[in-house]
Amino acid sequence: MGKAMRLGAPCAAVVSLLAAAALLACGEGNKEAALGPGLGAARDESLAIYGYVTNADTGGPLEDADVTWYCDTCGGQVLGTDSTNAQGRYEIYEESWASVHQGHDFHGTAGKPYFQTGYAYIEDWPPEPPPVRRDFALWPE
């Protein structure tokens, strides 16, 4: 048999981090692992809709795009707004959606200067267990 191979400290740290990430991702009911980084644990329970806004030409993220979600069943009531971060991510929170808007239809818009407005839809809230992901791809004008 050959010599046992030893990992240096940096390699061992990476292996440990990867193993820990795999365990977290497999954990039952782990919202942070399912949603990805950047979500605060205190806000996870009220996260309703999240997603990404990208440049349809390049596929790259659009920072500072404005996203608004509306309840069509409620006559266009604004449910929430957010601006995207450097990765193009937005998050809309509302603790009362589960009870107040059950079975309602929503539409969202995303906009940024010099881009066409993008639209997304959710029918019969919630179509899947919240949070619901809806992305937007905006075309340059």
Side-chain angles (χ1 to χ4, degrees), residues 5-116:
M5 181 157 66
R6 255 184 91 189
L7 295 174
C11 290
V14 169
V15 170
S16 294
L17 286 173
L18 290 173
L23 286 173
L24 284 174
C26 294
E28 190 172 305
N30 186 333
K31 292 181 184 176
E32 185 74 23
L35 296 173
L39 297 177
R43 295 183 76 182
D44 282 350
E45 294 303 317
S46 62
L47 178 60
I49 304 172
Y50 76 104
Y52 294 86
V53 179
T54 57
N55 180 325
D57 273 348
T58 66
L62 286 179
E63 184 175 8
D64 295 326
D66 294 318
V67 177
T68 304
W69 277 92
Y70 305 86
C71 179
D72 296 333
T73 308
C74 299
Q77 172 190 359
V78 174
L79 298 172
T81 62
D82 195 18
S83 293
T84 57
N85 64 16
Q87 291 77 40
R89 184 183 174 99
Y90 74 91
E91 299 173 351
I92 305 288
Y93 295 86
E94 180 56 55
E95 294 178 16
S96 64
W97 282 13
S99 60
V100 175
H101 296 285
Q102 187 71 33
H104 290 192
D105 295 336
F106 298 165
H107 82 273
T109 62
K112 182 172 174 84
Y114 309 109
F115 286 85
Q116 296 177 10

